[in-house]
Amino acid sequence: MGMVTAIVLLNVERDRINEVAEALVELDQVSEVYSVAGQYDLVVLARAGSNEDLASLVTDRMLQLEGIHRSETLIAFKVYSRHDLERMFSVGFEKA
């Protein structure tokens, strides 16, 4: 079984954004945390072994952190990566 990838969008108290981001990035299943402009304050990329593991990560660990007001979790169905496409199309070609 493959990994479940999720993008978690968070609204955080303004004066706690750095503190929350640093706590999130320490969680095992969190690969990256971005501070962003726009409707949300933080974007979290997380990978878990199952939907249940992901639910536990978000509800039991992430949302227990002080300062998070609201979250929206997006589950990824398929990844389209520029790196994968470049690797696929570069087979047999050498850069000059």
Side-chain angles (χ1 to χ4, degrees):
M1 182 175 171
M3 297 292 278
V4 178
T5 300
I7 298 94
V8 184
L9 308 172
L10 299 173
N11 287 121
V12 181
E13 288 177 28
R14 290 253 182 268
D15 59 350
R16 290 197 128 140
I17 292 173
N18 289 340
E19 172 189 335
V20 170
E22 288 170 10
L24 288 167
V25 83
E26 292 299 318
L27 298 176
D28 288 339
Q29 296 159 314
V30 171
S31 60
E32 296 168 77
V33 178
Y34 295 93
S35 175
V36 296
Q39 183 178 351
Y40 297 95
D41 302 303
L42 294 175
V43 174
V44 180
L45 296 182
R47 290 178 179 84
S50 68
N51 286 330
E52 292 78 18
D53 291 341
L54 184 63
S56 175
L57 171 67
V58 173
T59 59
D60 298 339
R61 297 171 72 201
M62 278 188 192
L63 298 183
Q64 299 305 312
L65 296 173
E66 287 286 323
I68 296 175
H69 290 301
R70 190 166 66 93
S71 72
E72 183 174 348
T73 302
L74 308 173
I75 306 286
F77 294 131
K78 185 174 181 179
V79 64
Y80 298 88
S81 169
R82 172 175 224 181
H83 303 290
D84 293 339
L85 292 173
E86 286 175 355
R87 198 174 315 121
M88 183 172 65
F89 288 116
S90 68
V91 173
F93 294 97
E94 290 186 25
K95 293 188 179 185

